[in-house]
Each structure stands twice: as structure tokens, then as C-alpha cells.
Amino acid sequence: MDTAAEEHRDRATPVPHRTEPVSFIRRGGRLKGRQQRAWDDLAATHVVEVPRHGPSTSVDPEFRLDVTSLFGRTAPLVVEIGSGRGEALVAAAAEHPEHDFFGLEVYVPGVAQTLVTMRHRGVTNVRLAVVNATEALATMLAPGSVHELWTWFPDPWHKKRHHKRRLVTVPFTELVARVLEPGGTWRFATDWDDYAAVVDKVIAASPHVDGGRVPRHDGRVLTRFESKGVAADRTIHDLAARPTLSP
């Protein structure tokens, strides 16, 4: 087939669309100054180029991430869903150089800002991906490959008509259990009382994980986002769960 025919075929091939609601709204945004320079210098080595299967945050279901090659070593892997500007992720990576940290984020300027902070602090054990986290947990990450999975302050979607967009559901806990190593831990925090209550119920109803309320995780720095919740006099709720032991 000649080049023109190939191009026509590519244009004619329908792009897959998601049929399930997602827990995020993809926001654009230009990279400015230090963000652009950090992206230009570090993205090739620190941001995974994920093969897509439709939307720009999708994951080709055939893609499998080789974590050992990505980090150049074998170490306990901590994954953060919605790593944002990287405050918690980079601080933890600096504190624990013996672990590898992988941030899943859909907001490109947030990923770029994480690169800025990594370079400023001299952190080398962080990698990132611009990706829908549920797709990454479903296929991209190997079963039993994650030491800890963090979900800090996901969008609460507080309006009732938007509750279907909330990340944490019983099916989501199946993905959590899939990627966690035996004895691994999923950690969750929110400053919305009703979302915490929902997650409590999800964990109790899930056949895939066991857990519940826990004290604030010592390994989470006080980010600007959490500080706003505290300043607004909202209670910070921490929960944790582990994969259910097989009978």
C-alpha cells in the first residue's frame, strides 16, 4: 500500500471512545518558563511515553510497563494516583531514596511542575505518566507490582449528579487489589466527610480489600491542597486497605 493510501486508512480508522465516566476533567494549559525547560530536559527520561487507545490519557490495553527498565533497578514501588504538582510524591522520594515513586496524572503542567521540583531537590527516583489511572491499574502495571498505592484528595464530585464520577467504587478496589503486592497497602485521604463515609462503605462491601479508618499517614507532607482544607476547618480523613487474603 502506498503512503497516500496508508494516510487515508489512518484518517478513516475510528478512534475508540470511553463509554464509562472518568473521575477527572482533562484541563489544558501551556508550559511556562521553568516548566517548559524542565519538560524539555527531563521528559524523555522521566515521563513514560504511553501508547494510546483513543483519548490522550488512554492506555493501549496491550501495553505493559517494564518498571525495572524504567527505573534501572528493582526496588519497592509506590504509585500515586493524581500526583498533581508532585508535592507529596517528590517529598516522599527525597525521604526514601530506597523506593521508586511513580505518579499518574492527567494535567500536563502538573507533571511539568513535578519535574521542576525533582530537579530542584535533586531527586532521581521519580517517574511520571500522563494517563487515566484506572486504565493504568487495569493493564499497564503488572499484577502484584506495587508496594503502596496512594490516592490523596481525589476530586470529591460533591454534587449528587456527579457522584458517578467518583474514583473509588467496589470495581476500583478490584484494580487496587490487582496491582498491590501481597501485604501491600492502598492509602486514601479526603477532606470531604461524605466521600470518606462512601469509601468506608466501599471498603466494607468489597471482596477485594480489607481496611478502614487509620491515623494520618506520617509519610504524607502537608501540601498546599491539604492546607486549604485545614484552613477551611474541614476534617482530614485517612483510610487504608490491603488485598483480601485468599481462603
Side-chain angles (χ1 to χ4, degrees):
M1 182 180 293
D2 62 25
T3 301
E6 288 182 355
E7 290 178 353
H8 176 76
R9 179 200 61 193
D10 291 342
R11 289 196 299 269
T13 300
V15 176
H17 294 280
R18 295 190 178 104
T19 58
E20 298 296 326
V22 293
S23 64
F24 59 89
I25 293 177
R26 182 74 191 280
R27 296 173 296 163
R30 295 182 178 180
L31 304 186
K32 301 177 182 179
R34 291 188 304 166
Q35 290 181 347
Q36 186 64 62
R37 290 192 294 272
W39 185 274
D40 292 342
D41 294 343
L42 300 176
T45 53
H46 290 75
V47 180
V48 176
E49 188 171 341
V50 178
R52 306 301 181 183
H53 186 67
S56 60
T57 57
S58 64
V59 179
D60 185 330
E62 299 299 317
F63 176 58
R64 303 292 180 267
L65 182 65
D66 185 340
V67 174
T68 300
S69 295
L70 179 64
F71 286 92
R73 65 175 184 175
T74 299
L77 178 65
V78 178
V79 176
E80 182 178 1
I81 295 175
S83 52
R85 294 167 59 87
E87 290 176 89
L89 194 70
V90 175
E95 186 70 20
H96 295 282
E98 75 281 6
H99 288 181
D100 292 332
F101 292 82
F102 189 34
L104 309 178
E105 176 55 56
V106 298
Y107 186 47
V108 174
V111 173
Q113 185 59 44
T114 303
L115 296 174
V116 171
T117 307
M118 286 169 52
R119 177 148 66 180
H120 176 72
R121 299 197 60 172
V123 168
T124 60
N125 56 329
V126 171
R127 302 293 185 271
L128 303 149
V130 179
V131 71
N132 176 18
T134 57
E135 294 180 59
L137 299 185
T139 58
M140 188 177 85
L141 292 168
S145 62
V146 176
H147 179 63
E148 288 201 356
L149 180 67
W150 294 349
T151 314
W152 303 141
F153 305 97
D155 195 322
W157 294 104
H158 58 278
K159 294 181 179 179
K160 187 174 182 179
R161 68 178 183 271
H162 292 153
H163 285 183
K164 64 184 179 182
R165 289 183 174 271
R166 284 176 167 173
L167 175 67
V168 180
T169 61
V170 171
F172 173 75
T173 65
E174 184 175 6
L175 301 180
V176 169
R178 175 188 177 274
V179 299
L180 283 176
E181 66 186 19
T185 304
W186 168 44
R187 301 187 185 278
F188 174 93
T190 183
D191 58 350
W192 285 85
D193 296 345
D194 69 320
Y195 200 4
V198 166
V199 175
D200 250 337
K201 292 177 181 177
V202 165
I203 292 173
S206 173
H208 310 294
V209 296
D210 291 317
R213 304 281 181 135
V214 295
R216 187 185 187 281
H217 179 47
D218 289 340
R220 184 177 75 246
V221 297
L222 188 65
T223 63
R224 286 183 291 178
F225 189 92
E226 185 173 355
S227 297
K228 289 179 180 179
V230 173
D233 203 27
R234 292 197 290 267
T235 301
I236 308 300
H237 303 271
D238 276 70
L239 297 95
R242 292 181 173 178
T244 302
L245 296 177
S246 301

